[in-house]
Amino acid sequence: MDSIFTLLSRVSKPHPVHGLDTHPPDSEEDVIAFIEQAPGDPIKFEVHKASGYLMVDRPHKFSSLCPTIYGFVPKTHCAEKVAARCMEATGKKDIIGDGDPLDICVLSTRTIDRGDLILTSRVIGGFRMIDGGEADDKIIAVVRGDAVMSEWNDIGDIPAAFRQMIHHFFKTYKENPEKPEEHVVDIAEIYGREEALRVIAASKEDYVAHYGNPQEDFKTAVGAAIRKIAAEVVAEQQQQQ
């Protein structure tokens, strides 16, 4: 059955959320990132969940632009487990997951100036962001193989000014300057690598709870279809005898 997936991969593009692996083959701690946006993009791009195509979500409303490569981790989902992790860490109540794949900001010395691509990244931390009562964590990682950032192993290794730039963007990018009292986004915590790995694990559990195992489901469906066709062929042959 695995040969079917090999053949399909040669003629069709995997869905970025469901068809790509969470981790590279050689590591259960590094993660694959599907990149939706390049640093400074004035347009908010997102993967269209139904088709897997990259789509224009909206122009950014205000002047703040994301300072990092930005996307999500495949086969993750922010729901009950991620929300529970958020409530446990912050003491807040009635938090729910945002219902999207887990977001990731990837740092790179070299310019990556477009989205709709994948890369392998080393996780070093994250922001525990709450957006309108929804857990919306932002994992922070560096491009694997980046020689300049090779010694950045935890969130504290990022120069403070750079970390504050990322923090400021996510804390303020939805703020309306005419309504400064309305704080839509709260960054309740900045956490390190170990907690980031726990959040990723929770999001993988949420994905399985909501989507199951697409590969296994596909195998089951194909197997059932083959058995049905075989039974119909046998029945037809028996009628002809």
Side-chain angles (χ1 to χ4, degrees):
M1 188 66 72
D2 289 337
S3 62
I4 294 178
F5 291 106
T6 301
L7 291 171
L8 282 173
S9 70
R10 293 173 182 169
V11 298
S12 63
K13 182 178 178 180
H15 192 291
V17 178
H18 308 292
L20 300 175
D21 291 328
T22 306
H23 303 283
D26 59 349
S27 173
E28 281 295 312
E29 294 189 342
D30 293 347
V31 296
I32 302 296
F34 180 85
I35 303 306
E36 297 170 299
Q37 290 189 227
D41 271 339
I43 301 293
K44 177 73 166 65
F45 297 104
E46 286 191 355
V47 162
H48 183 248
K49 290 181 180 178
S51 68
Y53 281 94
L54 196 64
M55 72 174 190
V56 173
D57 181 48
R58 64 183 184 275
H60 280 292
K61 190 172 183 180
F62 302 116
S63 59
S64 293
L65 301 176
C66 187
T68 72
I69 309 160
Y70 184 77
F72 62 83
V73 182
K75 289 184 181 172
T76 61
H77 187 70
C78 294
E80 294 80 14
K81 294 287 186 181
V82 172
R85 189 79 202 162
C86 178
M87 289 187 282
E88 180 183 353
T90 64
K92 296 180 182 292
K93 299 184 181 301
D94 300 321
I95 301 296
I96 62 173
D98 74 348
D100 288 329
L102 182 63
D103 295 325
I104 187 167
C105 299
V106 185
L107 314 181
S108 172
T109 305
R110 300 296 186 181
T111 301
I112 294 178
D113 60 2
R114 67 182 185 89
D116 199 20
L117 53 83
I118 60 174
L119 57 80
T120 303
S121 62
R122 289 191 303 105
V123 175
I124 63 173
F127 294 164
R128 200 176 311 278
M129 186 169 127
I130 303 170
D131 185 352
E134 297 180 345
D136 189 13
D137 288 63
K138 309 299 180 186
I139 298 300
I140 308 297
V142 301
V143 174
R144 194 167 76 172
D146 190 307
V148 175
M149 298 180 179
S150 62
E151 296 182 2
W152 295 11
N153 296 310
D154 209 277
I155 195 78
D157 295 329
I158 303 175
F162 193 10
R163 187 174 64 248
Q164 290 162 8
M165 184 190 303
I166 304 168
H167 187 177
H168 181 265
F169 168 73
F170 284 111
K171 192 170 178 62
T172 63
Y173 79 111
K174 289 187 175 181
E175 284 188 1
N176 187 335
E178 296 181 359
K179 297 179 180 179
E181 72 283 356
E182 295 182 1
H183 295 289
V184 178
V185 173
D186 175 30
I187 296 180
E189 180 187 6
I190 299 176
Y191 49 74
R193 171 181 168 79
E194 292 304 317
E195 178 60 16
L197 294 175
R198 294 187 192 101
V199 172
I200 292 168
S203 70
K204 289 166 62 179
E205 290 185 52
D206 279 338
Y207 179 86
V208 172
H210 284 258
Y211 294 103
N213 185 324
Q215 274 202 341
E216 291 302 319
D217 292 344
F218 181 80
K219 288 180 182 179
T220 300
V222 170
I226 290 172
R227 288 191 294 272
K228 181 182 178 186
I229 293 170
E232 290 173 351
V233 169
V234 170
E236 184 178 345
Q237 289 174 342
Q238 288 175 343
Q239 287 176 356
Q240 292 173 354
Q241 290 176 355

